[in-house]
């Protein structure tokens, strides 16, 4: 029975389970027990999740050369066990052990993404600050690098897909050594969501991975979308297809700008609301302090009056 990777669990052991997955990476063959034992690991993924698979012993020779990075395979059977998080940093709770009952065959499936959990650009504006994003888009604008605070170089570019556009900031050598043109496809793995003037953007950090025109299915899709976009703009046609909608060229560029502007307005609205709520709490605290101080002063005034009357009686 065919499962998505996210649904794999050890309760499937003993049944004929199968998955269709792409190989994200593959380790070298590693030895242990003074060279007697050997193993290698792979990370597999589909649209739902990713999972680690490990092969030991004689099965290493059987599967190592067969599994190639970025290829898609139909994989049937194997042992599913709880993931050992000391060695497994995937998000899956389980991992696979390939054994002698495992069957691995090349697959012609075209619906497996080129990278796990790629997000469209519109997702940027709903994500929490400082979280990481993996995305891909068309470069529609490239700015010249400039200095910031006299210490860092930065370069801003605009990345777009059929869902919207976003500013991307490259830093230092990634800014100065950037070699791409408008219309190229750019993937970002591990970009950081940041805020600049109340608008979210992507920051490419030292640990982020950037690739220009990667050999992915998404690259071809974006190239076709962008060619159609440019072709219809040059021919001055009245409409162009973006996703499932038909929009005028002006409306498309305007929708990109509006998406960012609406996001900025919503964020500013939330900031203003938070500031007002905070000030109301401060005023409430101040009122409580004033009431407390008023009661204390009235008590002191009353005590002074009593002391004064007592002194008068003794005179």
């Amino acid at each position: 029975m065919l499962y998505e990777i996210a649904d794999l669990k050890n309760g499937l052991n003993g049944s004929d389970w199968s998955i269709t997955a792409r190989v994200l990476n593959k380790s070298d063959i590693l030895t242990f027990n003074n060279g007697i034992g050997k193993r290698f690991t792979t990370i597999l993924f589909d649209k739902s999740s990713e999972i680690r698979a490990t092969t030991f012993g004689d099965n290493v020779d059987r599967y190592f050369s067969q599994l190639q990075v970025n290829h898609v395979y139909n994989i049937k059977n194997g042992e599913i066990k709880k993931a050992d998080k000391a060695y497994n940093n995937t998000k899956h709770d389980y991992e696979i052990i390939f054994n002698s009952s495992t069957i691995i065959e090349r697959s012609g499936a075209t619906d497996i993404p080129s990278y796990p959990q790629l997000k469209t650009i519109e997702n940027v504006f709903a994500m929490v600050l400082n979280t990481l994003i993996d995305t891909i888009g068309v470069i529609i604008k490239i700015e010249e690098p400039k200095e910031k605070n006299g210490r860092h170089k930065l370069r801003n570019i605009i990345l777009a897909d059929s869902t919207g556009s976003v500013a991307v900031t490259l830093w230092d050598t990634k800014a100065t050594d950037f070699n791409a043109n408008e219309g190229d496809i750019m993937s970002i793995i591990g970009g950081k969501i940041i805020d600049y003037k109340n608008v979210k953007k992507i920051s490419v950090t030292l640990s982020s991975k950037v690739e220009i025109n990667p050999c992915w299915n998404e690259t071809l899709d974006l190239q076709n979308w962008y060619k159609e976009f440019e072709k219809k703009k040059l021919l001055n046609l009245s409409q162009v297809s973006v996703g499932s909608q038909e929009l005028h060229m002006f409306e498309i560029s305007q929708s990109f700008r509006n998406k960012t502007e609406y996001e900025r307005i919503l964020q500013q609205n939330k900031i203003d609301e938070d500031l007002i709520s905070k000030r109301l709490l401060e005023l409430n605290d101040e009122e409580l302090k004033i009431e407390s101080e008023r009661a204390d002063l009235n008590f002191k005034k009353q005590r002074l009056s009593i002391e004064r009357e007592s002194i008068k009686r003794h005179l």
Side-chain angles (χ1 to χ4, degrees):
M1 182 175 178
L2 182 63
Y3 289 86
E4 289 191 330
I5 286 177
D7 296 327
L8 292 181
K9 53 188 177 182
N10 56 9
L12 296 175
N13 286 325
S15 63
D16 283 335
W17 60 265
S18 65
I19 57 173
T20 299
R22 189 183 298 275
V23 178
L24 177 63
N25 59 49
K26 180 177 73 171
S27 74
D28 294 330
I29 296 176
L30 306 173
T31 59
F32 56 95
N33 289 344
N34 295 321
I36 298 175
K38 56 185 177 181
R39 64 180 173 85
F40 78 94
T41 61
T42 58
I43 303 298
L44 309 170
F45 69 93
D46 62 10
K47 290 182 291 186
S48 69
S49 187
E50 61 183 35
I51 193 168
R52 186 172 109 147
T54 304
T55 307
F56 293 95
D58 294 339
N59 291 314
V60 169
D61 299 326
R62 182 181 176 189
Y63 299 128
F64 184 80
S65 60
Q66 184 178 2
L67 289 167
Q68 299 297 319
V69 172
N70 205 37
H71 289 184
V72 178
Y73 297 90
N74 294 322
I75 300 172
K76 184 177 181 180
N77 297 333
E79 179 188 355
I80 302 173
K81 55 176 287 189
K82 270 285 189 180
D84 185 348
K85 291 303 181 180
Y87 304 98
N88 185 337
N89 59 6
T90 68
K91 296 178 181 178
H92 209 294
D93 292 331
Y94 295 91
E95 59 188 27
I96 302 171
I97 305 296
F98 290 153
N99 54 35
S100 58
S101 68
T102 302
I103 300 172
I104 300 175
E105 298 174 338
R106 280 292 300 271
S107 171
T110 59
D111 60 341
I112 304 299
S114 301
Y115 204 87
Q117 300 180 356
L118 277 176
K119 290 182 170 59
T120 55
I121 286 172
E122 66 179 350
N123 284 278
V124 170
F125 305 103
M127 293 180 68
V128 177
L129 292 178
N130 298 319
T131 55
L132 302 181
I133 185 172
D134 301 336
T135 190
I136 186 170
V138 184
I139 300 171
I140 61 173
K141 184 178 180 181
I142 303 173
E143 295 183 358
E144 290 298 316
K146 55 187 177 183
E147 285 193 357
K148 182 176 182 179
N149 300 328
R151 296 184 300 140
H152 296 287
K153 289 284 185 70
L154 67 85
R155 184 198 296 265
N156 289 314
I157 67 172
I158 304 297
L159 206 62
D161 64 11
S162 61
T163 69
S165 63
V166 67
V168 177
T169 300
L170 304 161
W171 296 92
D172 298 325
T173 56
K174 287 186 177 179
T176 55
D177 298 343
F178 186 70
N179 184 19
N181 300 305
E182 292 181 4
D184 282 343
I185 310 302
M186 176 175 165
S187 66
I188 303 172
I189 305 302
K192 186 177 182 180
I193 305 297
I194 63 172
D195 179 278
Y196 180 70
K197 294 185 177 179
N198 298 323
V199 177
K200 288 178 181 175
K201 60 189 297 188
I202 299 174
S203 176
V204 175
T205 67
L206 288 174
S207 59
S208 303
K209 180 182 177 183
V210 171
E211 189 172 355
I212 304 300
N213 298 321
C215 296
W216 296 358
N217 294 334
E218 291 81 0
T219 298
L220 182 59
D221 293 340
L222 284 164
Q223 286 172 337
N224 290 336
W225 171 77
Y226 187 67
K227 284 178 182 177
E228 194 68 15
F229 184 96
E230 287 295 299
K231 176 183 175 183
K232 292 189 176 182
K233 184 169 68 173
L234 290 171
L235 292 174
N236 198 27
L237 296 180
S238 62
Q239 291 185 325
V240 63
S241 176
V242 178
S244 61
Q245 302 179 28
E246 291 289 318
L247 298 174
H248 287 83
M249 292 300 303
F250 170 78
E251 291 175 329
I252 291 171
S253 59
Q254 191 67 31
S255 70
F256 286 166
R257 290 193 293 270
N258 287 346
K259 185 182 292 290
T260 301
E261 180 63 17
Y262 293 155
E263 177 68 14
R264 186 193 67 77
I265 292 172
L266 287 173
Q267 288 185 336
Q268 187 60 50
N269 182 283
K270 182 65 168 62
I271 291 170
D272 291 343
E273 183 181 23
D274 289 344
L275 288 174
I276 290 171
S277 298
K278 182 180 178 181
R279 183 55 183 156
L280 285 172
L281 289 173
E282 290 173 349
L283 289 173
N284 186 52
D285 289 341
E286 289 175 7
E287 288 175 356
L288 291 174
K289 290 178 182 178
I290 290 171
E291 288 298 322
S292 176
E293 186 177 358
R294 180 181 289 113
D296 185 54
L297 290 173
N298 283 330
F299 173 77
K300 290 179 179 179
K301 181 180 179 181
Q302 186 178 14
R303 189 182 65 186
L304 290 171
S305 177
I306 293 172
E307 288 178 354
R308 187 170 59 253
E309 292 299 323
S310 176
I311 292 171
K312 285 180 179 179
R313 284 197 299 269
H314 287 83
L315 290 176

